[in-house]
């Protein structure tokens, strides 16, 4: 059993006009000074005058001698034979003016109009007979009159609608963030667009560190090229301007060319071990030999003078 005010075709196409039933007010089609009051799948809401069974009235026209009933309400829909669109037909209205045996009737053809998001309203397109009409024809454009497609088409339609809504949401989010970044944060270029940045993994290559012995040399005993280069850049003259490292301030060149305490003691013992008397005698012998022998003595004295030159210097001091 079908629901009230609905129509289902053999291919699964479904129409549902029940949302057009209004409990607040009637729909009015105004033609000149005449107002046609209608409601769908329920009785009219307006107050009626001199009408039998007002609760069953589906439409009426206001007149001085009494309201003219356009038809009695029901909940059945039919299909238009020419356009295959749903129709709402109400019959058993007031007696026709020219033929009291006939009753007034009204047919409303609904037209699918997706652009009309409201309920729409009826529009009178024809009346019969032209004088003192008794049969009325209306058209009603509304998005409610659009059919519900068969199951397969329904699913695809849902996917399209969902995709459209998702695309609108993404564009709204993207545009809003872009405007915020540009005008509020003052960003320019690609920084103003809310782009996703995918972090890239950092790959670190293994490093080999050599042990240092504190003298600028590695474990192999060779010099460090970094320190060698720094020294060369500071000097600017190659090997002759090499300076000692900071660690060589105390153990630098002074330490390398100084004598140890043991060596100084040994030299002192050698110098003090020589008899001062022998030194004077040797000196006198040398001078005497030089005076007697002449040039030969001078040569010999010069030869012996080389051996005592160091001691002589110490004695003179």
């Amino acid at each position: 059993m079908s629901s009230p005010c609905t129509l289902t075709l053999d291919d699964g196409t479904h129409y549902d006009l029940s949302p057009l039933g209004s409990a607040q007010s009637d729909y009015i089609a105004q033609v000149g000074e005449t107002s046609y009051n209608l409601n769908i799948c329920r009785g009219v809401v307006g107050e009626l005058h001199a009408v039998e069974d007002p609760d069953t009235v589906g439409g009426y026209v206001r007149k001085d001698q009494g309201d003219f009933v356009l038809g009695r309400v029901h909940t059945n829909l039919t299909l238009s034979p020419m356009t295959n669109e749903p129709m709402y037909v109400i019959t058993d209205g007031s007696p026709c003016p020219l033929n009291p045996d006939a009753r007034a009737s009204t047919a409303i053809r609904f037209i699918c109009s997706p652009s009309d998001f409201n309920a729409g309203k009826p529009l009178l397109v024809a009346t019969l007979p032209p004088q003192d009409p008794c049969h009325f024809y209306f058209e009603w454009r509304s998005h409610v009159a659009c059919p519900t497609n068969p199951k397969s088409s329904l699913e695809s339609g849902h996917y399209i609608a969902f995709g459209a809504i998702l695309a609108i949401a993404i564009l709204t989010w993207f545009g809003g963030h872009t405007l915020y970044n540009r005008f509020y944060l003052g960003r320019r270029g690609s920084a103003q667009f809310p782009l996703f940045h995918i972090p890239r993994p950092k790959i670190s290559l293994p490093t080999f560190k050599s042990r240092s012995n504190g003298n600028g040399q590695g474990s192999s005993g060779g010099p460090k090229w970094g320190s060698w280069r720094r020294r060369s850049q500071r000097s600017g003259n190659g090997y002759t301007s090499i300076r000692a490292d900071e660690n060589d301030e105390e153990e630098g060149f002074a330490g390398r060319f100084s004598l140890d305490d043991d060596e100084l003691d040994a030299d002192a013992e050698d110098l003090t071990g020589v008899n001062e008397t022998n030194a004077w005698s040797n000196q006198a012998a040398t001078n005497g030999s030089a005076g007697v022998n002449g040039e030969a003595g001078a040569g010999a004295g010069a030869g012996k003078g080389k051996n005592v030159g160091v001691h002589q210097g110490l004695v003179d001091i």
Side-chain angles (χ1 to χ4, degrees), residues 109-134:
R109 183 172 69 93
F110 289 91
I111 300 173
C112 174
S113 179
S115 60
D116 294 329
F117 293 101
N118 53 9
K121 63 181 182 178
L123 177 65
L124 182 65
V125 294
T127 58
L128 291 174
Q131 294 81 17
D132 294 330
C134 190

Side-chain angles (χ1 to χ4, degrees), residues 69-93:
V69 178
L70 301 177
R72 301 289 173 173
V73 65
H74 64 84
T75 59
N76 297 327
L77 297 179
T78 60
L79 189 65
S80 172
M82 295 182 293
T83 60
N84 291 328
E85 293 172 328
M87 292 185 65
Y88 180 65
V89 179
I90 53 178
T91 58
D92 198 17

Side-chain angles (χ1 to χ4, degrees), residues 210-268:
S210 60
R211 297 181 180 178
S212 176
N213 56 9
N215 296 326
Q217 296 181 352
S219 59
S220 61
K224 288 187 175 180
W225 294 106
S227 60
W228 181 272
R229 184 177 181 182
R230 288 196 299 270
R231 298 174 200 170
S232 300
Q233 290 177 351
R234 291 176 181 176
S235 62
N237 295 325
Y239 296 97
T240 59
S241 300
I242 297 178
R243 295 193 307 160
D245 292 337
E246 295 179 357
N247 297 330
D248 292 341
E249 290 181 358
E250 296 179 358
E251 299 177 1
F253 292 102
R256 295 176 184 175
F257 294 99
S258 63
L259 299 177
D260 295 338
D261 294 338
D262 296 338
E263 295 177 357
L264 292 175
D265 293 340
D267 293 340

Side-chain angles (χ1 to χ4, degrees), residues 63 65 68 95-99 127-136:
K63 290 187 177 181
Q65 64 274 18
F68 184 83
C96 293
L98 300 179
N99 186 8
T127 58
L128 291 174
Q131 294 81 17
D132 294 330
C134 190
H135 304 284
F136 307 88

Side-chain angles (χ1 to χ4, degrees), residues 13 24 28 31-32 36 41 51 88 93 111 128 146 156-157 174 198 257 261-262 270 275 316:
T13 303
Q24 303 295 327
I28 298 176
V31 180
Y36 297 87
C41 298
V51 174
Y88 180 65
I111 300 173
L128 291 174
C146 294
S156 62
F174 187 85
I198 301 176
F257 294 99
D261 294 338
D262 296 338
D270 293 340
N275 192 352
D316 293 336

